[in-house]
Amino acid sequence: MARRRAAMEPAVTGTGSPVAGGGVRRWLPGVQTVLTYRRAWLPKDVVAGLVLSSLLVPQGMAYAELAGLPAITGLYTTVFGLLGYAVFGASRILVVGPDSSLGPMIAAVLVATVGSGGDPAVAIALASMLGLMVGVTMAVAGIAKLGFIADLLSKPTQIGYMNGLAVTIFVSQLPKLCGFSVDGEGLLSEAAGFLRGIASGDAVPAACAVGVFTLAIILVLQRWLPKLPAVLVAVVAAITATWLLDLGGRGVDLVGPLPGGFPPLTVPHASWSQLVLLLAGAVGITIVSLTDTISTASSFAARTGQEIRADQEMIGVGAANVAASFFQGFPVSTSGSRTAVAEQAGARTQVTGIVGAAVIVVMLVLTPGLLRDLPQPALAAVVIAASMSLADLPGSVRLWRHRRLESLVSITAFLGVALLGVLPGIGVAVGLSVLNVFRRVWWPYQTQLRRAPGVPGYHDVRSYPDAESLPGLVLFRFDAPLIFANARVFRDQIRLLARTDPRPVWIVLAAEPVTDVDTTAGDMLEALVGELDAQGTSLMWAELKDPVRRKIDRYGLTAALGPERFFATLDEAVTAYRARTGAAWTAPPR
């Protein structure tokens, strides 16, 4: 079915321009959409846009407050984020907007810059500047083809980071769900403040009731009736409860009337000292947004047979951030849940997002008081439901069962977010990913190879403990490039092999996994070969890749070590050894 549907859509290549594109169409996919748009898609896009708007409005408002900003800014951000991406984004149905994973990061940046309880107008201005910085960084990264930056967050660190984020968001919204606020910053402080508030009777019973009621509706409908717009139904039910039960008179905070009309075009600005503080946050938000964008785009593209243009996706999300920043907006990212809603509703193109933006504009211009009776605890319930979707408990369990070390990396990333805060947590997550890569290079997998009866080739002795060997010959595999970081590890392992009893005549390095030899490793090899030769053991090479062999030639190692040490294959090396020594294959002792 996906293949048939893909045949109906405009074809998009993975690295090049759209089929009918080139020039402007390549950099402005929205132009391509207009030129190839089919009339039959319009009803589906319109219906999907109307359905999508039911999710965009309450989530946009809720995520704005999660970011420490007035709810109305979430709607401004949603509108211009959708429009910016529709022009520059490459995906047919990807939806961008305020995101639950970015909200705490934005709030942390704003608190660090202006302090808690600062002037909302200043916070909005700084959030807009933050959005502009993220947008420009994303767009530049896309133009420079730096999509690989998203790989700085490995899957285990992503899981740990998102789990930490989910818990942080959940705890931060509990006071609001119960009708009061706390002054603490950070997970532990907010959790303690919430418990103190409950113990001292600060909770408003009516607020707790409507908050839990709204959350229950969302979770039940998402679980049992996923085709229904759960958030919209819950929001309507909460507003209805306000009318019927006079929740405002019972101490429940309401959203109140939103400002009518539309915000003026405003160029974001900040002082130099504020820009320095915003910069670190912008880098962290960009990395998270990059990872989210590429993973979400890849997931939905695979379902429709489309190949993503990762760099153009980054440009599209960058454009969405820039567009939102000029209208009191804040940083945006892609949304898997909203994209899924658009897809299920039959979306065909970015016209769906344009329709959703148009619905919000109509509401702001004609009916700004439509949501004035929405209880604040209901918005907290929307955020809490979103936070629960961020957590990946099955993924955490799978890591623990299959890869304990990666599970520990994930747990450390979780603790980094939970204990240090959102922004330090992203630093911990990135640092762990980089260290994990370095660990694999520094101490890679190493093994000896032998001949397993009935199995062609030479195989790991750990997998084939009964494999045969040739007396005096060691076949050794080192699964990493030979560089400064692991040169000592390699040297020590070869020395250890050379000291075994009986002493080996040849140690043959099965060098296919060795993708590089740097100058540090080259100097080490030259010294090591001389040391082994003096002991009567020869270090030989087999299956060395041509690019690596050329580097060794440039270092002068081939001439220094002797070309007779290099063999094209392991079979060739084994044959040469047997011809020289007359050794026969022997099974290991029982």
Side-chain angles (χ1 to χ4, degrees):
M1 180 175 178
R3 189 171 297 173
R4 290 200 304 270
R5 178 174 172 180
M8 297 170 57
E9 313 286 0
V12 178
T13 61
T15 57
S17 60
V19 169
V24 174
R25 299 179 192 176
R26 172 175 173 75
W27 297 104
L28 299 174
V31 174
Q32 175 71 9
T33 298
V34 172
L35 294 177
T36 60
Y37 197 79
R38 301 180 185 180
R39 186 176 301 175
W41 295 342
L42 185 59
K44 296 179 180 180
D45 279 338
V46 170
V47 171
L50 294 173
V51 172
L52 181 64
S53 65
S54 68
L55 193 63
L56 295 175
V57 173
Q59 283 194 343
M61 296 171 64
Y63 297 162
E65 296 201 343
L66 178 62
L69 297 163
I72 187 65
T73 61
L75 301 184
Y76 299 155
T77 302
T78 300
V79 169
F80 287 99
L82 290 170
L83 295 179
Y85 184 83
V87 177
F88 290 92
S91 173
R92 291 191 292 271
I93 62 170
L94 204 65
V95 177
V96 303
D99 187 68
S100 57
S101 63
L102 299 187
M105 300 181 72
I106 298 168
V109 175
L110 296 181
V111 168
T113 308
V114 299
S116 59
D119 185 353
V122 175
I124 292 173
L126 293 178
S128 296
M129 175 56 74
L130 185 63
L132 180 61
M133 296 170 71
V134 170
V136 170
T137 304
M138 287 275 285
V140 170
I143 294 171
K145 302 185 183 300
L146 299 179
F148 66 87
I149 293 175
D151 297 334
L152 290 176
L153 283 178
S154 65
K155 187 64 175 179
T157 52
Q158 285 184 53
I159 291 175
Y161 175 78
M162 286 301 177
N163 286 344
L165 203 59
V167 172
T168 300
I169 294 172
F170 184 91
V171 171
S172 72
Q173 295 298 301
L174 286 177
K176 184 177 177 181
L177 188 78
C178 295
F180 65 97
S181 61
V182 298
D183 294 330
E185 296 178 8
L187 176 64
L188 298 180
S189 177
E190 290 181 336
F194 172 71
L195 294 177
R196 284 195 300 269
I198 294 295
S200 61
D202 292 340
V204 178
C208 292
V210 73
V212 172
F213 172 67
T214 305
L215 180 60
I217 291 177
I218 295 173
L219 296 180
V220 169
L221 291 183
Q222 287 178 342
R223 176 66 177 86
W224 300 107
L225 296 171
K227 292 187 176 181
L228 284 181
V231 173
L232 176 62
V233 172
V235 165
V236 170
I239 293 175
T240 302
T242 299
W243 295 340
L244 295 178
L245 303 176
D246 186 26
L247 294 181
R250 296 174 181 268
V252 178
D253 291 334
L254 306 178
V255 169
L258 300 175
F262 225 64
L265 173 66
T266 306
V267 178
H269 62 280
S271 67
W272 285 108
S273 60
Q274 291 171 332
L275 286 175
V276 172
L277 294 173
L278 293 176
L279 180 59
V283 171
I285 290 171
T286 298
I287 293 175
V288 172
S289 186
L290 276 176
T291 304
D292 194 28
T293 294
I294 293 176
S295 61
T296 304
S298 300
S299 174
F300 282 94
R303 289 159 63 168
T304 60
Q306 181 187 11
E307 294 182 29
I308 70 162
R309 295 165 55 198
D311 298 322
Q312 188 62 44
E313 294 292 0
M314 292 157 58
I315 294 172
V317 176
N321 276 281
V322 171
S325 72
F326 284 96
F327 292 91
Q328 299 183 19
F330 50 86
V332 301
S333 184
T334 54
S335 169
S337 62
R338 277 163 281 179
T339 302
V341 168
E343 182 187 52
Q344 292 170 3
R348 289 293 182 267
T349 69
Q350 286 297 324
V351 170
T352 295
I354 295 174
V355 171
V359 170
I360 297 176
V361 171
V362 170
M363 186 196 76
L364 290 174
V365 172
L366 300 181
T367 58
L370 183 64
L371 299 174
R372 67 176 180 272
D373 292 327
L374 176 62
Q376 289 285 358
L379 287 181
V382 172
V383 175
I384 288 175
S387 74
M388 296 172 71
S389 69
L390 291 177
D392 187 358
L393 297 182
S396 301
V397 173
R398 186 172 63 252
L399 280 176
W400 180 255
R401 288 176 177 173
H402 298 162
R403 295 292 295 270
R404 289 292 173 89
L405 184 59
E406 291 194 347
S407 178
L408 292 176
V409 169
S410 181
I411 292 171
T412 304
F414 167 82
L415 293 176
V417 176
L419 301 180
L420 301 180
V422 177
L423 288 179
I426 187 66
V428 170
V430 172
L432 286 173
S433 292
V434 173
L435 286 175
N436 198 27
V437 172
F438 184 76
R439 176 194 62 83
R440 294 178 182 180
V441 174
W442 175 51
W443 193 262
Y445 185 75
Q446 308 164 57
T447 189
Q448 293 185 48
L449 306 178
R450 292 178 183 170
R451 189 181 76 167
V455 184
Y458 304 93
H459 302 280
D460 192 334
V461 294
R462 294 183 177 92
S463 301
Y464 295 90
D466 296 328
E468 300 172 336
S469 62
L470 290 171
L473 176 68
V474 174
L475 302 179
F476 175 65
R477 196 181 74 204
F478 190 80
D479 291 355
L482 264 174
I483 60 173
F484 68 94
N486 59 27
R488 184 185 60 80
V489 173
F490 176 86
R491 182 197 62 195
D492 291 349
Q493 184 62 33
I494 294 295
R495 284 175 172 173
L496 185 64
L497 292 173
R499 288 196 297 266
T500 56
D501 187 26
R503 184 179 294 276
V505 179
W506 279 14
I507 298 176
V508 178
L509 177 63
E512 187 178 12
V514 179
T515 56
D516 191 18
V517 176
D518 69 5
T519 55
T520 301
D523 292 341
M524 176 274 298
L525 289 171
E526 187 171 5
L528 180 62
V529 167
E531 176 186 324
L532 294 176
D533 285 346
Q535 300 171 6
T537 299
S538 298
L539 180 62
M540 319 298 276
W541 299 70
E543 300 181 341
L544 191 63
K545 289 180 168 60
D546 289 343
V548 182
R549 178 66 184 272
R550 286 192 289 269
K551 288 183 179 181
I552 288 179
D553 291 342
R554 288 199 303 271
Y555 301 159
L557 279 177
T558 304
L561 302 181
E564 70 278 1
R565 294 181 183 271
F566 297 88
F567 298 93
T569 66
L570 278 174
D571 272 330
E572 186 178 310
V574 169
T575 300
Y577 178 78
R578 295 188 67 190
R580 175 179 172 178
T581 64
W585 291 103
T586 59
R590 297 290 181 179

